[in-house]
PDB file of all heavy atoms in Angstrom:
ATOM      1  N   PRO A   1     -16.390  14.054  40.978  1.00 96.00           N
ATOM      2  CA  PRO A   1     -14.934  14.127  40.794  1.00 96.00           C
ATOM      3  C   PRO A   1     -14.453  13.652  39.432  1.00 96.00           C
ATOM      4  O   PRO A   1     -13.334  13.981  39.017  1.00 96.00           O
ATOM      5  CB  PRO A   1     -14.395  13.220  41.906  1.00 96.00           C
ATOM      6  CG  PRO A   1     -15.479  13.185  42.930  1.00 96.00           C
ATOM      7  CD  PRO A   1     -16.755  13.248  42.154  1.00 96.00           C
ATOM      8  N   ARG A   2     -15.279  12.871  38.736  1.00 96.00           N
ATOM      9  CA  ARG A   2     -14.897  12.407  37.402  1.00 96.00           C
ATOM     10  C   ARG A   2     -15.116  13.490  36.340  1.00 96.00           C
ATOM     11  O   ARG A   2     -14.642  13.353  35.214  1.00 96.00           O
ATOM     12  CB  ARG A   2     -15.673  11.145  37.032  1.00 96.00           C
ATOM     13  CG  ARG A   2     -15.411   9.972  37.983  1.00 96.00           C
ATOM     14  CD  ARG A   2     -16.005   8.691  37.452  1.00 96.00           C
ATOM     15  NE  ARG A   2     -15.779   7.574  38.359  1.00 96.00           N
ATOM     16  CZ  ARG A   2     -14.663   6.846  38.408  1.00 96.00           C
ATOM     17  NH1 ARG A   2     -13.664   7.139  37.578  1.00 96.00           N
ATOM     18  NH2 ARG A   2     -14.538   5.857  39.256  1.00 96.00           N
ATOM     19  N   MET A   3     -15.843  14.543  36.695  1.00 97.00           N
ATOM     20  CA  MET A   3     -16.119  15.633  35.748  1.00 97.00           C
ATOM     21  C   MET A   3     -15.245  16.861  35.978  1.00 97.00           C
ATOM     22  O   MET A   3     -14.879  17.559  35.031  1.00 97.00           O
ATOM     23  CB  MET A   3     -17.590  16.066  35.851  1.00 97.00           C
ATOM     24  CG  MET A   3     -18.606  15.006  35.489  1.00 97.00           C
ATOM     25  SD  MET A   3     -20.279  15.706  35.396  1.00 97.00           S
ATOM     26  CE  MET A   3     -20.596  16.094  37.127  1.00 97.00           C
ATOM     27  N   GLU A   4     -14.946  17.159  37.225  1.00 96.00           N
ATOM     28  CA  GLU A   4     -14.401  18.471  37.555  1.00 96.00           C
ATOM     29  C   GLU A   4     -13.048  18.789  36.907  1.00 96.00           C
ATOM     30  O   GLU A   4     -12.877  19.886  36.351  1.00 96.00           O
ATOM     31  CB  GLU A   4     -14.344  18.635  39.073  1.00 96.00           C
ATOM     32  CG  GLU A   4     -15.737  18.848  39.649  1.00 96.00           C
ATOM     33  CD  GLU A   4     -15.740  19.034  41.156  1.00 96.00           C
ATOM     34  OE1 GLU A   4     -14.708  18.733  41.796  1.00 96.00           O
ATOM     35  OE2 GLU A   4     -16.776  19.477  41.671  1.00 96.00           O
ATOM     36  N   PRO A   5     -12.045  17.888  36.921  1.00 95.00           N
ATOM     37  CA  PRO A   5     -10.765  18.242  36.295  1.00 95.00           C
ATOM     38  C   PRO A   5     -10.905  18.592  34.812  1.00 95.00           C
ATOM     39  O   PRO A   5     -10.304  19.564  34.342  1.00 95.00           O
ATOM     40  CB  PRO A   5      -9.903  16.997  36.510  1.00 95.00           C
ATOM     41  CG  PRO A   5     -10.510  16.317  37.691  1.00 95.00           C
ATOM     42  CD  PRO A   5     -11.983  16.565  37.581  1.00 95.00           C
ATOM     43  N   PHE A   6     -11.684  17.818  34.100  1.00 96.00           N
ATOM     44  CA  PHE A   6     -11.889  18.083  32.670  1.00 96.00           C
ATOM     45  C   PHE A   6     -12.516  19.459  32.462  1.00 96.00           C
ATOM     46  O   PHE A   6     -12.056  20.247  31.623  1.00 96.00           O
ATOM     47  CB  PHE A   6     -12.782  17.003  32.055  1.00 96.00           C
ATOM     48  CG  PHE A   6     -13.117  17.254  30.609  1.00 96.00           C
ATOM     49  CD1 PHE A   6     -12.310  16.755  29.602  1.00 96.00           C
ATOM     50  CD2 PHE A   6     -14.236  18.008  30.249  1.00 96.00           C
ATOM     51  CE1 PHE A   6     -12.604  16.998  28.262  1.00 96.00           C
ATOM     52  CE2 PHE A   6     -14.539  18.258  28.918  1.00 96.00           C
ATOM     53  CZ  PHE A   6     -13.717  17.750  27.922  1.00 96.00           C
ATOM     54  N   HIS A   7     -13.565  19.763  33.201  1.00 97.00           N
ATOM     55  CA  HIS A   7     -14.262  21.028  32.998  1.00 97.00           C
ATOM     56  C   HIS A   7     -13.394  22.226  33.383  1.00 97.00           C
ATOM     57  O   HIS A   7     -13.431  23.260  32.702  1.00 97.00           O
ATOM     58  CB  HIS A   7     -15.582  21.032  33.768  1.00 97.00           C
ATOM     59  CG  HIS A   7     -16.630  20.172  33.132  1.00 97.00           C
ATOM     60  ND1 HIS A   7     -16.606  18.791  33.205  1.00 97.00           N
ATOM     61  CD2 HIS A   7     -17.720  20.498  32.397  1.00 97.00           C
ATOM     62  CE1 HIS A   7     -17.632  18.308  32.535  1.00 97.00           C
ATOM     63  NE2 HIS A   7     -18.320  19.316  32.035  1.00 97.00           N
ATOM     64  N   ARG A   8     -12.625  22.111  34.445  1.00 96.00           N
ATOM     65  CA  ARG A   8     -11.777  23.238  34.855  1.00 96.00           C
ATOM     66  C   ARG A   8     -10.776  23.603  33.768  1.00 96.00           C
ATOM     67  O   ARG A   8     -10.457  24.779  33.574  1.00 96.00           O
ATOM     68  CB  ARG A   8     -11.054  22.900  36.156  1.00 96.00           C
ATOM     69  CG  ARG A   8     -11.964  22.927  37.376  1.00 96.00           C
ATOM     70  CD  ARG A   8     -11.155  23.114  38.659  1.00 96.00           C
ATOM     71  NE  ARG A   8     -12.043  23.144  39.807  1.00 96.00           N
ATOM     72  CZ  ARG A   8     -12.271  22.120  40.618  1.00 96.00           C
ATOM     73  NH1 ARG A   8     -11.667  20.975  40.392  1.00 96.00           N
ATOM     74  NH2 ARG A   8     -13.093  22.230  41.647  1.00 96.00           N
ATOM     75  N   ARG A   9     -10.299  22.607  33.048  1.00 96.00           N
ATOM     76  CA  ARG A   9      -9.265  22.876  32.041  1.00 96.00           C
ATOM     77  C   ARG A   9      -9.836  23.143  30.652  1.00 96.00           C
ATOM     78  O   ARG A   9      -9.276  23.940  29.886  1.00 96.00           O
ATOM     79  CB  ARG A   9      -8.283  21.694  31.970  1.00 96.00           C
ATOM     80  CG  ARG A   9      -7.087  21.975  31.066  1.00 96.00           C
ATOM     81  CD  ARG A   9      -6.288  23.187  31.566  1.00 96.00           C
ATOM     82  NE  ARG A   9      -5.200  23.535  30.659  1.00 96.00           N
ATOM     83  CZ  ARG A   9      -5.319  24.329  29.615  1.00 96.00           C
ATOM     84  NH1 ARG A   9      -6.507  24.855  29.301  1.00 96.00           N
ATOM     85  NH2 ARG A   9      -4.280  24.611  28.848  1.00 96.00           N
ATOM     86  N   TYR A  10     -10.934  22.493  30.285  1.00 97.00           N
ATOM     87  CA  TYR A  10     -11.420  22.579  28.915  1.00 97.00           C
ATOM     88  C   TYR A  10     -12.505  23.635  28.702  1.00 97.00           C
ATOM     89  O   TYR A  10     -12.677  24.133  27.585  1.00 97.00           O
ATOM     90  CB  TYR A  10     -11.947  21.220  28.436  1.00 97.00           C
ATOM     91  CG  TYR A  10     -10.859  20.276  28.011  1.00 97.00           C
ATOM     92  CD1 TYR A  10     -10.219  19.466  28.937  1.00 97.00           C
ATOM     93  CD2 TYR A  10     -10.465  20.190  26.681  1.00 97.00           C
ATOM     94  CE1 TYR A  10      -9.212  18.599  28.553  1.00 97.00           C
ATOM     95  CE2 TYR A  10      -9.457  19.325  26.287  1.00 97.00           C
ATOM     96  CZ  TYR A  10      -8.831  18.531  27.224  1.00 97.00           C
ATOM     97  OH  TYR A  10      -7.825  17.676  26.840  1.00 97.00           O
ATOM     98  N   MET A  11     -13.287  23.965  29.710  1.00 97.00           N
ATOM     99  CA  MET A  11     -14.323  24.976  29.544  1.00 97.00           C
ATOM    100  C   MET A  11     -13.720  26.368  29.713  1.00 97.00           C
ATOM    101  O   MET A  11     -12.799  26.561  30.504  1.00 97.00           O
ATOM    102  CB  MET A  11     -15.461  24.756  30.542  1.00 97.00           C
ATOM    103  CG  MET A  11     -16.140  23.394  30.391  1.00 97.00           C
ATOM    104  SD  MET A  11     -16.907  23.180  28.758  1.00 97.00           S
ATOM    105  CE  MET A  11     -16.547  21.443  28.428  1.00 97.00           C
ATOM    106  N   ALA A  12     -14.259  27.346  29.000  1.00 97.00           N
ATOM    107  CA  ALA A  12     -13.588  28.642  28.904  1.00 97.00           C
ATOM    108  C   ALA A  12     -13.761  29.519  30.132  1.00 97.00           C
ATOM    109  O   ALA A  12     -12.804  30.138  30.593  1.00 97.00           O
ATOM    110  CB  ALA A  12     -14.089  29.400  27.678  1.00 97.00           C
ATOM    111  N   SER A  13     -14.985  29.603  30.668  1.00 96.00           N
ATOM    112  CA  SER A  13     -15.215  30.527  31.782  1.00 96.00           C
ATOM    113  C   SER A  13     -16.523  30.219  32.485  1.00 96.00           C
ATOM    114  O   SER A  13     -17.458  29.671  31.884  1.00 96.00           O
ATOM    115  CB  SER A  13     -15.246  31.978  31.291  1.00 96.00           C
ATOM    116  OG  SER A  13     -16.435  32.242  30.573  1.00 96.00           O
ATOM    117  N   GLY A  14     -16.577  30.599  33.768  1.00 97.00           N
ATOM    118  CA  GLY A  14     -17.821  30.444  34.519  1.00 97.00           C
ATOM    119  C   GLY A  14     -18.937  31.303  33.959  1.00 97.00           C
ATOM    120  O   GLY A  14     -20.109  30.929  34.005  1.00 97.00           O
ATOM    121  N   ARG A  15     -18.597  32.467  33.425  1.00 97.00           N
ATOM    122  CA  ARG A  15     -19.618  33.345  32.840  1.00 97.00           C
ATOM    123  C   ARG A  15     -20.346  32.640  31.695  1.00 97.00           C
ATOM    124  O   ARG A  15     -21.567  32.729  31.568  1.00 97.00           O
ATOM    125  CB  ARG A  15     -18.958  34.636  32.343  1.00 97.00           C
ATOM    126  CG  ARG A  15     -19.934  35.611  31.698  1.00 97.00           C
ATOM    127  CD  ARG A  15     -19.235  36.875  31.252  1.00 97.00           C
ATOM    128  NE  ARG A  15     -20.157  37.766  30.576  1.00 97.00           N
ATOM    129  CZ  ARG A  15     -19.815  38.941  30.044  1.00 97.00           C
ATOM    130  NH1 ARG A  15     -18.552  39.362  30.136  1.00 97.00           N
ATOM    131  NH2 ARG A  15     -20.711  39.693  29.432  1.00 97.00           N
ATOM    132  N   THR A  16     -19.588  31.948  30.872  1.00 97.00           N
ATOM    133  CA  THR A  16     -20.191  31.211  29.762  1.00 97.00           C
ATOM    134  C   THR A  16     -21.101  30.102  30.284  1.00 97.00           C
ATOM    135  O   THR A  16     -22.205  29.897  29.762  1.00 97.00           O
ATOM    136  CB  THR A  16     -19.099  30.606  28.872  1.00 97.00           C
ATOM    137  OG1 THR A  16     -18.190  31.630  28.490  1.00 97.00           O
ATOM    138  CG2 THR A  16     -19.697  29.971  27.632  1.00 97.00           C
ATOM    139  N   LEU A  17     -20.666  29.389  31.307  1.00 98.00           N
ATOM    140  CA  LEU A  17     -21.488  28.323  31.882  1.00 98.00           C
ATOM    141  C   LEU A  17     -22.783  28.873  32.468  1.00 98.00           C
ATOM    142  O   LEU A  17     -23.851  28.255  32.330  1.00 98.00           O
ATOM    143  CB  LEU A  17     -20.702  27.575  32.963  1.00 98.00           C
ATOM    144  CG  LEU A  17     -19.716  26.529  32.458  1.00 98.00           C
ATOM    145  CD1 LEU A  17     -18.773  26.109  33.569  1.00 98.00           C
ATOM    146  CD2 LEU A  17     -20.450  25.325  31.887  1.00 98.00           C
ATOM    147  N   ARG A  18     -22.719  30.030  33.117  1.00 98.00           N
ATOM    148  CA  ARG A  18     -23.934  30.615  33.696  1.00 98.00           C
ATOM    149  C   ARG A  18     -24.917  31.037  32.608  1.00 98.00           C
ATOM    150  O   ARG A  18     -26.135  30.844  32.749  1.00 98.00           O
ATOM    151  CB  ARG A  18     -23.565  31.788  34.600  1.00 98.00           C
ATOM    152  CG  ARG A  18     -22.854  31.353  35.886  1.00 98.00           C
ATOM    153  CD  ARG A  18     -22.693  32.494  36.863  1.00 98.00           C
ATOM    154  NE  ARG A  18     -21.763  33.507  36.390  1.00 98.00           N
ATOM    155  CZ  ARG A  18     -20.440  33.459  36.549  1.00 98.00           C
ATOM    156  NH1 ARG A  18     -19.879  32.415  37.154  1.00 98.00           N
ATOM    157  NH2 ARG A  18     -19.671  34.435  36.108  1.00 98.00           N
ATOM    158  N   ALA A  19     -24.404  31.605  31.522  1.00 98.00           N
ATOM    159  CA  ALA A  19     -25.275  31.983  30.405  1.00 98.00           C
ATOM    160  C   ALA A  19     -25.926  30.749  29.794  1.00 98.00           C
ATOM    161  O   ALA A  19     -27.123  30.747  29.458  1.00 98.00           O
ATOM    162  CB  ALA A  19     -24.478  32.753  29.357  1.00 98.00           C
ATOM    163  N   TRP A  20     -25.139  29.687  29.650  1.00 98.00           N
ATOM    164  CA  TRP A  20     -25.679  28.431  29.100  1.00 98.00           C
ATOM    165  C   TRP A  20     -26.760  27.860  30.011  1.00 98.00           C
ATOM    166  O   TRP A  20     -27.832  27.468  29.542  1.00 98.00           O
ATOM    167  CB  TRP A  20     -24.539  27.427  28.936  1.00 98.00           C
ATOM    168  CG  TRP A  20     -25.007  26.051  28.581  1.00 98.00           C
ATOM    169  CD1 TRP A  20     -25.310  25.593  27.333  1.00 98.00           C
ATOM    170  CD2 TRP A  20     -25.274  24.982  29.494  1.00 98.00           C
ATOM    171  NE1 TRP A  20     -25.737  24.290  27.417  1.00 98.00           N
ATOM    172  CE2 TRP A  20     -25.729  23.889  28.717  1.00 98.00           C
ATOM    173  CE3 TRP A  20     -25.168  24.834  30.870  1.00 98.00           C
ATOM    174  CZ2 TRP A  20     -26.080  22.664  29.289  1.00 98.00           C
ATOM    175  CZ3 TRP A  20     -25.516  23.622  31.439  1.00 98.00           C
ATOM    176  CH2 TRP A  20     -25.965  22.552  30.659  1.00 98.00           C
ATOM    177  N   ALA A  21     -26.505  27.802  31.321  1.00 98.00           N
ATOM    178  CA  ALA A  21     -27.475  27.225  32.255  1.00 98.00           C
ATOM    179  C   ALA A  21     -28.772  28.010  32.250  1.00 98.00           C
ATOM    180  O   ALA A  21     -29.869  27.424  32.298  1.00 98.00           O
ATOM    181  CB  ALA A  21     -26.878  27.179  33.665  1.00 98.00           C
ATOM    182  N   GLN A  22     -28.691  29.338  32.169  1.00 97.00           N
ATOM    183  CA  GLN A  22     -29.893  30.153  32.129  1.00 97.00           C
ATOM    184  C   GLN A  22     -30.726  29.827  30.888  1.00 97.00           C
ATOM    185  O   GLN A  22     -31.962  29.741  30.954  1.00 97.00           O
ATOM    186  CB  GLN A  22     -29.523  31.642  32.135  1.00 97.00           C
ATOM    187  CG  GLN A  22     -30.725  32.574  32.166  1.00 97.00           C
ATOM    188  CD  GLN A  22     -30.320  34.034  32.232  1.00 97.00           C
ATOM    189  OE1 GLN A  22     -29.138  34.354  32.171  1.00 97.00           O
ATOM    190  NE2 GLN A  22     -31.290  34.910  32.368  1.00 97.00           N
ATOM    191  N   MET A  23     -30.062  29.635  29.759  1.00 98.00           N
ATOM    192  CA  MET A  23     -30.766  29.270  28.527  1.00 98.00           C
ATOM    193  C   MET A  23     -31.437  27.904  28.665  1.00 98.00           C
ATOM    194  O   MET A  23     -32.619  27.729  28.337  1.00 98.00           O
ATOM    195  CB  MET A  23     -29.785  29.259  27.352  1.00 98.00           C
ATOM    196  CG  MET A  23     -30.357  28.746  26.040  1.00 98.00           C
ATOM    197  SD  MET A  23     -29.103  28.598  24.725  1.00 98.00           S
ATOM    198  CE  MET A  23     -28.095  27.238  25.355  1.00 98.00           C
ATOM    199  N   VAL A  24     -30.695  26.928  29.183  1.00 98.00           N
ATOM    200  CA  VAL A  24     -31.188  25.549  29.241  1.00 98.00           C
ATOM    201  C   VAL A  24     -32.340  25.398  30.242  1.00 98.00           C
ATOM    202  O   VAL A  24     -33.216  24.550  30.055  1.00 98.00           O
ATOM    203  CB  VAL A  24     -30.024  24.594  29.566  1.00 98.00           C
ATOM    204  CG1 VAL A  24     -30.514  23.209  29.939  1.00 98.00           C
ATOM    205  CG2 VAL A  24     -29.074  24.511  28.377  1.00 98.00           C
ATOM    206  N   ARG A  25     -32.368  26.224  31.267  1.00 97.00           N
ATOM    207  CA  ARG A  25     -33.465  26.141  32.234  1.00 97.00           C
ATOM    208  C   ARG A  25     -34.818  26.465  31.610  1.00 97.00           C
ATOM    209  O   ARG A  25     -35.867  26.176  32.195  1.00 97.00           O
ATOM    210  CB  ARG A  25     -33.188  27.052  33.432  1.00 97.00           C
ATOM    211  CG  ARG A  25     -32.058  26.539  34.328  1.00 97.00           C
ATOM    212  CD  ARG A  25     -31.912  27.372  35.588  1.00 97.00           C
ATOM    213  NE  ARG A  25     -30.690  27.068  36.313  1.00 97.00           N
ATOM    214  CZ  ARG A  25     -30.529  26.002  37.094  1.00 97.00           C
ATOM    215  NH1 ARG A  25     -31.521  25.143  37.262  1.00 97.00           N
ATOM    216  NH2 ARG A  25     -29.371  25.805  37.730  1.00 97.00           N
ATOM    217  N   GLY A  26     -34.811  27.031  30.421  1.00 97.00           N
ATOM    218  CA  GLY A  26     -36.054  27.279  29.700  1.00 97.00           C
ATOM    219  C   GLY A  26     -36.563  26.070  28.935  1.00 97.00           C
ATOM    220  O   GLY A  26     -37.620  26.139  28.291  1.00 97.00           O
ATOM    221  N   LEU A  27     -35.844  24.949  29.008  1.00 98.00           N
ATOM    222  CA  LEU A  27     -36.238  23.717  28.313  1.00 98.00           C
ATOM    223  C   LEU A  27     -36.744  22.681  29.313  1.00 98.00           C
ATOM    224  O   LEU A  27     -36.374  22.704  30.487  1.00 98.00           O
ATOM    225  CB  LEU A  27     -35.038  23.128  27.557  1.00 98.00           C
ATOM    226  CG  LEU A  27     -34.402  23.992  26.477  1.00 98.00           C
ATOM    227  CD1 LEU A  27     -33.105  23.348  26.000  1.00 98.00           C
ATOM    228  CD2 LEU A  27     -35.357  24.191  25.306  1.00 98.00           C
ATOM    229  N   ASP A  28     -37.521  21.754  28.823  1.00 98.00           N
ATOM    230  CA  ASP A  28     -37.981  20.611  29.620  1.00 98.00           C
ATOM    231  C   ASP A  28     -37.038  19.446  29.319  1.00 98.00           C
ATOM    232  O   ASP A  28     -37.183  18.768  28.304  1.00 98.00           O
ATOM    233  CB  ASP A  28     -39.420  20.266  29.246  1.00 98.00           C
ATOM    234  CG  ASP A  28     -39.996  19.138  30.096  1.00 98.00           C
ATOM    235  OD1 ASP A  28     -39.305  18.693  31.037  1.00 98.00           O
ATOM    236  OD2 ASP A  28     -41.117  18.690  29.799  1.00 98.00           O
ATOM    237  N   VAL A  29     -36.065  19.227  30.194  1.00 98.00           N
ATOM    238  CA  VAL A  29     -34.997  18.244  29.937  1.00 98.00           C
ATOM    239  C   VAL A  29     -35.166  17.049  30.867  1.00 98.00           C
ATOM    240  O   VAL A  29     -35.210  17.203  32.088  1.00 98.00           O
ATOM    241  CB  VAL A  29     -33.603  18.864  30.125  1.00 98.00           C
ATOM    242  CG1 VAL A  29     -32.513  17.825  29.861  1.00 98.00           C
ATOM    243  CG2 VAL A  29     -33.420  20.075  29.215  1.00 98.00           C
ATOM    244  N   GLU A  30     -35.222  15.859  30.297  1.00 98.00           N
ATOM    245  CA  GLU A  30     -35.303  14.613  31.064  1.00 98.00           C
ATOM    246  C   GLU A  30     -33.971  13.878  31.107  1.00 98.00           C
ATOM    247  O   GLU A  30     -33.716  13.120  32.031  1.00 98.00           O
ATOM    248  CB  GLU A  30     -36.371  13.693  30.471  1.00 98.00           C
ATOM    249  CG  GLU A  30     -37.801  14.151  30.702  1.00 98.00           C
ATOM    250  CD  GLU A  30     -38.247  13.996  32.163  1.00 98.00           C
ATOM    251  OE1 GLU A  30     -37.562  13.284  32.920  1.00 98.00           O
ATOM    252  OE2 GLU A  30     -39.277  14.587  32.525  1.00 98.00           O
ATOM    253  N   ILE A  31     -33.153  14.084  30.065  1.00 98.00           N
ATOM    254  CA  ILE A  31     -31.850  13.415  29.996  1.00 98.00           C
ATOM    255  C   ILE A  31     -30.818  14.398  29.479  1.00 98.00           C
ATOM    256  O   ILE A  31     -31.069  15.121  28.498  1.00 98.00           O
ATOM    257  CB  ILE A  31     -31.893  12.173  29.072  1.00 98.00           C
ATOM    258  CG1 ILE A  31     -32.784  11.076  29.661  1.00 98.00           C
ATOM    259  CG2 ILE A  31     -30.486  11.618  28.826  1.00 98.00           C
ATOM    260  CD1 ILE A  31     -32.927   9.853  28.760  1.00 98.00           C
ATOM    261  N   VAL A  32     -29.664  14.438  30.122  1.00 98.00           N
ATOM    262  CA  VAL A  32     -28.490  15.136  29.607  1.00 98.00           C
ATOM    263  C   VAL A  32     -27.510  14.067  29.143  1.00 98.00           C
ATOM    264  O   VAL A  32     -27.082  13.220  29.939  1.00 98.00           O
ATOM    265  CB  VAL A  32     -27.849  16.040  30.673  1.00 98.00           C
ATOM    266  CG1 VAL A  32     -26.472  16.502  30.224  1.00 98.00           C
ATOM    267  CG2 VAL A  32     -28.736  17.236  30.967  1.00 98.00           C
ATOM    268  N   ALA A  33     -27.178  14.100  27.863  1.00 98.00           N
ATOM    269  CA  ALA A  33     -26.346  13.052  27.265  1.00 98.00           C
ATOM    270  C   ALA A  33     -25.072  13.665  26.682  1.00 98.00           C
ATOM    271  O   ALA A  33     -25.092  14.231  25.586  1.00 98.00           O
ATOM    272  CB  ALA A  33     -27.127  12.321  26.168  1.00 98.00           C
ATOM    273  N   PRO A  34     -23.942  13.576  27.400  1.00 97.00           N
ATOM    274  CA  PRO A  34     -22.673  14.098  26.882  1.00 97.00           C
ATOM    275  C   PRO A  34     -22.057  13.164  25.830  1.00 97.00           C
ATOM    276  O   PRO A  34     -22.449  12.002  25.694  1.00 97.00           O
ATOM    277  CB  PRO A  34     -21.777  14.165  28.126  1.00 97.00           C
ATOM    278  CG  PRO A  34     -22.671  13.923  29.305  1.00 97.00           C
ATOM    279  CD  PRO A  34     -23.812  13.113  28.785  1.00 97.00           C
ATOM    280  N   GLN A  35     -21.035  13.696  25.156  1.00 95.00           N
ATOM    281  CA  GLN A  35     -20.329  12.881  24.163  1.00 95.00           C
ATOM    282  C   GLN A  35     -19.293  11.964  24.805  1.00 95.00           C
ATOM    283  O   GLN A  35     -18.877  10.977  24.197  1.00 95.00           O
ATOM    284  CB  GLN A  35     -19.647  13.791  23.138  1.00 95.00           C
ATOM    285  CG  GLN A  35     -19.136  13.033  21.910  1.00 95.00           C
ATOM    286  CD  GLN A  35     -17.756  13.456  21.481  1.00 95.00           C
ATOM    287  OE1 GLN A  35     -17.178  14.389  22.030  1.00 95.00           O
ATOM    288  NE2 GLN A  35     -17.222  12.775  20.487  1.00 95.00           N
ATOM    289  N   HIS A  36     -18.872  12.278  26.019  1.00 94.00           N
ATOM    290  CA  HIS A  36     -17.898  11.448  26.725  1.00 94.00           C
ATOM    291  C   HIS A  36     -18.468  11.065  28.088  1.00 94.00           C
ATOM    292  O   HIS A  36     -18.893  11.931  28.850  1.00 94.00           O
ATOM    293  CB  HIS A  36     -16.582  12.197  26.949  1.00 94.00           C
ATOM    294  CG  HIS A  36     -15.961  12.757  25.701  1.00 94.00           C
ATOM    295  ND1 HIS A  36     -15.267  11.983  24.803  1.00 94.00           N
ATOM    296  CD2 HIS A  36     -15.934  14.015  25.220  1.00 94.00           C
ATOM    297  CE1 HIS A  36     -14.833  12.747  23.810  1.00 94.00           C
ATOM    298  NE2 HIS A  36     -15.231  13.982  24.052  1.00 94.00           N
ATOM    299  N   GLY A  37     -18.446   9.776  28.397  1.00 94.00           N
ATOM    300  CA  GLY A  37     -18.831   9.343  29.730  1.00 94.00           C
ATOM    301  C   GLY A  37     -20.320   9.118  29.917  1.00 94.00           C
ATOM    302  O   GLY A  37     -21.069   8.924  28.958  1.00 94.00           O
ATOM    303  N   ALA A  38     -20.745   9.150  31.182  1.00 96.00           N
ATOM    304  CA  ALA A  38     -22.094   8.736  31.571  1.00 96.00           C
ATOM    305  C   ALA A  38     -23.121   9.844  31.381  1.00 96.00           C
ATOM    306  O   ALA A  38     -22.799  11.036  31.425  1.00 96.00           O
ATOM    307  CB  ALA A  38     -22.081   8.279  33.031  1.00 96.00           C
ATOM    308  N   PHE A  39     -24.376   9.442  31.194  1.00 97.00           N
ATOM    309  CA  PHE A  39     -25.469  10.394  31.010  1.00 97.00           C
ATOM    310  C   PHE A  39     -26.286  10.534  32.293  1.00 97.00           C
ATOM    311  O   PHE A  39     -26.223   9.692  33.190  1.00 97.00           O
ATOM    312  CB  PHE A  39     -26.363   9.996  29.833  1.00 97.00           C
ATOM    313  CG  PHE A  39     -27.112   8.695  30.009  1.00 97.00           C
ATOM    314  CD1 PHE A  39     -28.383   8.663  30.581  1.00 97.00           C
ATOM    315  CD2 PHE A  39     -26.564   7.489  29.572  1.00 97.00           C
ATOM    316  CE1 PHE A  39     -29.074   7.475  30.732  1.00 97.00           C
ATOM    317  CE2 PHE A  39     -27.240   6.297  29.713  1.00 97.00           C
ATOM    318  CZ  PHE A  39     -28.506   6.285  30.301  1.00 97.00           C
ATOM    319  N   PHE A  40     -27.067  11.610  32.365  1.00 98.00           N
ATOM    320  CA  PHE A  40     -27.915  11.923  33.519  1.00 98.00           C
ATOM    321  C   PHE A  40     -29.376  11.760  33.108  1.00 98.00           C
ATOM    322  O   PHE A  40     -29.806  12.326  32.113  1.00 98.00           O
ATOM    323  CB  PHE A  40     -27.698  13.365  33.984  1.00 98.00           C
ATOM    324  CG  PHE A  40     -26.281  13.693  34.340  1.00 98.00           C
ATOM    325  CD1 PHE A  40     -25.362  14.057  33.355  1.00 98.00           C
ATOM    326  CD2 PHE A  40     -25.851  13.654  35.659  1.00 98.00           C
ATOM    327  CE1 PHE A  40     -24.046  14.366  33.679  1.00 98.00           C
ATOM    328  CE2 PHE A  40     -24.537  13.961  35.997  1.00 98.00           C
ATOM    329  CZ  PHE A  40     -23.640  14.315  35.001  1.00 98.00           C
ATOM    330  N   ARG A  41     -30.132  10.997  33.903  1.00 98.00           N
ATOM    331  CA  ARG A  41     -31.545  10.776  33.593  1.00 98.00           C
ATOM    332  C   ARG A  41     -32.409  11.233  34.776  1.00 98.00           C
ATOM    333  O   ARG A  41     -32.109  10.918  35.937  1.00 98.00           O
ATOM    334  CB  ARG A  41     -31.814   9.295  33.324  1.00 98.00           C
ATOM    335  CG  ARG A  41     -33.230   9.024  32.814  1.00 98.00           C
ATOM    336  CD  ARG A  41     -33.591   7.542  32.947  1.00 98.00           C
ATOM    337  NE  ARG A  41     -32.695   6.650  32.227  1.00 98.00           N
ATOM    338  CZ  ARG A  41     -32.886   6.242  30.971  1.00 98.00           C
ATOM    339  NH1 ARG A  41     -33.953   6.648  30.291  1.00 98.00           N
ATOM    340  NH2 ARG A  41     -32.015   5.415  30.405  1.00 98.00           N
TER     341      ARG A  41
END
């Protein structure tokens, strides 16, 4: 719930998010570190 309002208003479209996720799934990611707020490990 701390992420959803921001993303609904600031991100452009679900299509863009799906294209991004497909690209990122090709990487070996251990940590996602945003510029605002908490990170995922």
